[in-house]
Amino acid sequence: MHSDNTLTVGSGAILQDITAAMYDARREISKLYSDEQKRIDEPDLLIAIGACPCVGAMGVILGGGVGRLQGKHGLVSDAVQKVRLALYNGTILEASKDVNPDLFWGIRGAGQNFGVVIQATLETYPQTNGGEFYNADMIFTREHLDSAIDAMNSLYPVNENLALLIFYVTNATTLEPLVAINLVYSGPEEEGKKFTERFSPFSASLNESVIPWVNLNSQSGGGVVLAKCIPGQSHNQYDSITKTVDKATFRELFDSYGSFIAEYPALANSTVILEIFPQQGIDAYPRNFSAFPHRGSLDTLVEIEMAYIDQSVAEVADSWARGWRDRLSSPEVSGYDRMVIYQNYGHGDEPIAALYGYEQWRHERLTGLKRTYDPRGQFNGYHAIPATLEGWN
């Protein structure tokens, strides 16, 4: 942390490291990444950041960075003030709105394409509601799935203080598929309860609490997110974005998920995740603010995440997840005329324009940056920007 309340992140940090550093500095960020951390006595600042503790912080930043507080503060990349990076030839550059501004534009949304980002300095924000978040965890059976989906769809456009994580999960003992919903409201408890009341009449269980932001990930969602960080598992993920939650399709997806896990119990740790987050902070910026292309089309993030140890199920897991990604991305289900993919969740087989946007001007600008800063293609390992305009086809 710096005296101006900005935060500098190094290239090797994971999100849990950031939390620990701000804890030591008596500062806060928006989520907790460790059960061992306790509430800070003098809460001060927030930064809008993602919810999974073991994810590399710089990767989150470079690809955009969604999170529960995006309705107030936008993407994590929207908070970036400057970066330092090493180019393919060893040259060290700084990029900001005043220094190498075109590169700075590209770094925020496509940043892994141009060099090794050594440092990023981000703006932080005054804490919301004294750092106290209302939290509700609910479980639903198949019988009440339709009612839960109706309640989800009633939330669009999502209140700027509200964030939902919806999980298709499996009971480890019975292999029964269930729906777990984590509702977080970064405001007064009585206001958050009004949103829970849309779901609770149909839920099999309800656990409400007011949680300091530093304890949110350890005490909310039944530990589903933290379970993704258990070492030794293989993970294979496909992603889609939809405008709303199509009832017939997501009911069919739930049934397919349950049947699939019953047939392949080695995949019981796999989940389908819906992130329904507010859009106001993201959409407050113009579409050309950065290389991030999905302002105005980021309503419902759907992650199909296969997790397993037994490699014999890898091929069938990939086939099932890919098939559902394609189904969810179809215009009749997604509500968009073409596939839209958040690149931090992308698998790697999608059309490149689905990750970076379909506008011609974006292609020209990104390809120009690629030619300038990575002419040898040294940084083509992940969702590589084409070196020619023809490559976008």
Side-chain angles (χ1 to χ4, degrees), residues 9 18 21 27 60 83 97 123 130 134 201 232 246 255 294 310 315 359 371 392:
V9 178
I18 299 174
R27 294 292 190 260
V60 170
V83 300
K97 64 183 179 68
E123 180 182 4
Y134 166 77
D246 180 73
D255 290 339
H294 300 319
D310 182 354
E315 185 175 345
E359 302 97 327
R371 288 174 173 174
W392 289 93

Side-chain angles (χ1 to χ4, degrees), residues 18-229:
I18 299 174
T19 305
M22 295 191 72
Y23 173 79
D24 292 341
R26 304 183 72 79
R27 294 292 190 260
E28 294 187 359
I29 57 175
S30 61
K31 307 292 178 284
L32 172 78
Y33 310 109
S34 172
D35 290 330
E36 298 174 355
Q37 295 166 344
K38 297 179 175 60
R39 183 178 177 181
I40 300 172
D41 294 329
E42 298 177 10
D44 192 355
L45 296 177
L46 293 171
I47 184 172
I49 203 164
C52 188
C54 52
V55 171
M58 196 64 74
V60 170
I61 294 168
L62 299 181
V66 299
R68 289 187 176 108
L69 291 177
Q70 67 183 37
K72 290 181 173 293
H73 306 309
L75 301 163
V76 181
S77 60
D78 294 337
V80 174
Q81 304 294 296
K82 62 182 178 180
V83 300
R84 294 182 70 237
L85 71 158
L87 302 184
Y88 74 98
N89 59 4
T91 301
I92 306 295
L93 291 182
E94 181 176 305
S96 68
K97 64 183 179 68
D98 299 315
V99 179
N100 297 309
D102 206 35
L103 177 60
F104 185 60
W105 176 88
I107 286 289
R108 294 168 299 153
Q112 77 278 7
N113 277 279
F114 310 115
V116 177
V117 179
I118 303 166
Q119 288 182 343
T121 299
L122 296 89
E123 180 182 4
T124 62
Y125 307 97
Q127 200 173 59
T128 302
N129 197 49
E132 300 288 325
F133 286 19
Y134 166 77
N135 179 84
D137 289 309
M138 295 167 278
I139 297 291
F140 298 83
T141 62
R142 172 65 171 80
E143 178 184 3
H144 296 296
L145 176 59
D146 283 5
S147 297
I149 292 175
D150 286 339
M152 295 174 207
N153 284 323
S154 75
L155 299 173
Y156 297 100
V158 180
N159 182 286
E160 69 172 16
N161 295 299
L162 183 65
L164 273 81
L165 289 171
I166 297 102
F167 304 92
Y168 289 2
V169 296
T170 301
N171 182 303
T173 302
T174 66
L175 296 184
E176 177 190 10
L178 298 166
V179 178
I181 295 182
N182 171 240
L183 184 153
V184 171
Y185 188 82
S186 58
E189 179 181 6
E190 61 271 17
E191 294 182 14
K193 283 178 174 289
K194 295 176 183 178
F195 294 103
T196 298
E197 288 168 359
R198 303 191 191 190
F199 295 89
S200 56
F202 320 108
S203 62
S205 65
L206 169 63
N207 180 21
E208 296 177 282
S209 56
V210 175
I211 302 178
W213 67 266
V214 292
N215 295 333
L216 194 59
N217 270 11
S218 65
Q219 296 181 12
S220 69
V224 176
V225 173
L226 289 177
K228 302 300 179 184
C229 298

